[in-house]
Amino acid sequence: PSEPPGADGTSGGRSWTLAGPDEKPLVVVPVSVGNPHLVVLAEEPEGLNEARLARLGPFLTGHPALANGANVQLARVDGPGRCRALVWERGVGPTSASGTSACAIAVAVVVAGRSRPGELRIETPGGELRVDVGSGLDVVLRGPVEEVMTGRLSPALLSTFERAP
């Protein structure tokens, strides 16, 4: 087994093997796109399902190798330039779509040698996003934006935040 990823979720362009929740080896591709992600690439079609996400998500988001946790993605390459994915966000749980997750998945697929740099279409339950991955692993995200909720922060909550100098 490899050493775990760095505390910020970066891997230096490599996959890492961690002991999974069942103590079996689990290969992850750590990616940081401003926040840490652990991408698990599913080898077979049945490896991408909500039950597996529900088992791996909570386990990996709080993995002791990561000081501040990470978002978790299960992803499968479905042909040239196409991926399907499920997302578990740290502190939230299953999420229908995430731009940073789509970017992390696209980078992980390129780093793992499953795709060449270029445009990848990342399909999640919330829709499809397009991510252009450059040869230097720079990314450009494209796709629709849709309001999914509105809310109001209470004055009590707002008072807990410090004002920036």
Side-chain angles (χ1 to χ4, degrees):
S2 302
E3 293 180 27
D8 65 351
T10 61
S11 67
R14 296 188 304 240
S15 299
W16 297 92
T17 303
L18 302 171
D22 54 5
E23 295 300 319
K24 292 181 182 174
L26 181 65
V27 177
V28 299
V29 182
V31 177
S32 178
V33 289
N35 59 345
H37 296 263
L38 289 178
V39 181
V40 178
L41 297 174
E43 299 296 327
E44 56 283 323
E46 62 274 6
L48 181 67
N49 62 66
E50 291 179 13
R52 187 172 187 218
L53 179 68
R55 193 173 68 255
L56 292 179
F59 176 80
L60 290 174
T61 58
H63 197 281
L66 300 169
N68 297 312
N71 296 312
V72 175
Q73 299 79 28
L74 289 182
R76 182 184 71 223
V77 176
D78 271 358
R82 297 198 64 81
C83 295
R84 288 185 190 262
L86 297 171
V87 177
W88 188 281
E89 289 192 6
R90 62 183 170 167
V92 177
T95 304
S96 64
S98 165
T100 59
S101 288
C103 292
I105 292 162
V107 168
V109 167
V110 170
V111 165
R114 307 277 179 92
S115 178
R116 292 180 175 199
E119 184 180 88
L120 286 103
R121 294 181 178 268
I122 310 296
E123 183 182 331
T124 62
E128 183 180 275
L129 294 171
R130 296 179 320 277
V131 181
D132 287 311
V133 180
S135 59
L137 302 181
D138 51 307
V139 295
V140 176
L141 174 67
R142 292 185 178 85
V145 176
E146 184 178 316
E147 184 176 309
V148 294
M149 73 168 277
T150 60
R152 187 174 14 196
L153 298 177
S154 73
L157 175 64
L158 290 173
S159 70
T160 64
F161 296 105
E162 291 183 30
R163 288 190 176 258

